[in-house]
Amino acid sequence: MTEGVDVLWDRGWYCFAHREPSPNHGARPPLAQIDLVVVHSISLPPGQYGGDEVRQLFTNTLDCDAHPYFDQLRGLKVSAHFFIRRNGELWQFVSCDDRAWHAGASRWRGRDSCNDDSIGIELEGLEGQTFEPAQYEALADVCAAIAQRYPIAHIAGHEHIAPGRKQDPGPGFDWKRLRAALAWPQGCFPPGCS
């Protein structure tokens, strides 16, 4: 690790993110290689932006009586490492050194249980809809910083690691734009997404 990277990170916490620790995390398995970034989308309630409901969900403080949709989230324990709001504001809930609970049943690059060796990034949005320029900028910045610290070799959507079960970030997400911003090799991206 270079000296410059140390300035960006504090025990897996990225210095340019708002930090709000989630209780929903655990240790990674021994010898886990953190080599995958998983891109998700989320909004609560679906299609509504700008509130604190996603942060509350990841910190187990969501009032499940506040909206009929939230009833299905009652008792759910989930988290992501990062959350990027529509305006590009970046939040971090779990140290990247730890295992966040974002992928669920999943498989990518010949391995199951993608939570074990991935970093999950949620974009405020609805699967199938488009995302904001500020979100792509923040996503590219944090991905580049992650790749400086961890041996990232792959990036995929939740839809790629859990096909048939998940559809996010969906067809509204511009993979070509992200690839151009990162300048990572085509082989890092899911087939057909570059």
Side-chain angles (χ1 to χ4, degrees):
M1 184 180 332
T2 66
E3 195 171 308
V5 175
D6 287 339
V7 173
L8 297 179
W9 296 92
D10 175 20
R11 294 165 295 170
W13 293 92
Y14 183 52
C15 71
F16 291 113
H18 300 281
R19 186 187 299 195
E20 186 160 344
S22 169
N24 305 328
H25 70 279
R28 293 187 187 271
L31 306 178
Q33 290 188 20
I34 305 170
D35 63 356
L36 171 65
V37 171
V38 179
V39 180
H40 304 260
S41 63
I42 189 171
S43 59
L44 292 176
Q48 293 186 23
Y49 308 132
D52 286 329
E53 291 82 1
V54 173
R55 289 191 317 108
Q56 293 167 0
L57 176 67
F58 291 163
T59 57
N60 300 339
T61 60
L62 180 66
D63 178 2
C64 290
D65 295 319
H67 189 278
Y69 180 83
F70 298 162
D71 192 56
Q72 65 187 299
L73 305 176
R74 198 175 300 277
L76 190 65
K77 306 288 187 197
V78 296
S79 62
H81 293 93
F82 295 98
F83 173 56
I84 301 174
R85 291 186 173 277
R86 303 294 286 181
N87 64 2
E89 187 178 79
L90 181 67
W91 287 82
Q92 186 171 3
F93 296 92
V94 176
S95 164
C96 292
D97 292 347
D98 292 327
R99 182 182 188 269
W101 301 344
H102 61 95
S106 52
R107 181 173 179 78
W108 194 248
R109 73 260 187 256
R111 292 185 234 156
D112 293 323
S113 302
C114 293
N115 281 337
D116 290 349
D117 49 24
S118 69
I119 293 173
I121 303 175
E122 295 272 6
L123 301 175
E124 186 176 30
L126 192 62
E127 57 195 37
Q129 293 188 3
T130 59
F131 298 88
E132 297 296 329
Q135 291 180 289
Y136 286 104
E137 183 177 337
L139 178 60
D141 288 348
V142 74
C143 283
I146 290 166
Q148 289 177 356
R149 180 172 172 88
Y150 302 94
I152 300 299
H154 308 276
I155 185 167
H158 203 183
E159 63 196 303
H160 302 110
I161 66 168
R165 189 176 68 81
K166 293 295 183 178
Q167 300 174 347
D168 60 305
F173 184 77
D174 190 343
W175 287 99
K176 289 182 180 177
R177 180 177 188 154
L178 180 61
R179 182 176 174 221
L182 289 172
W184 290 359
Q186 183 172 345
C188 293
F189 294 83
C193 288
S194 58

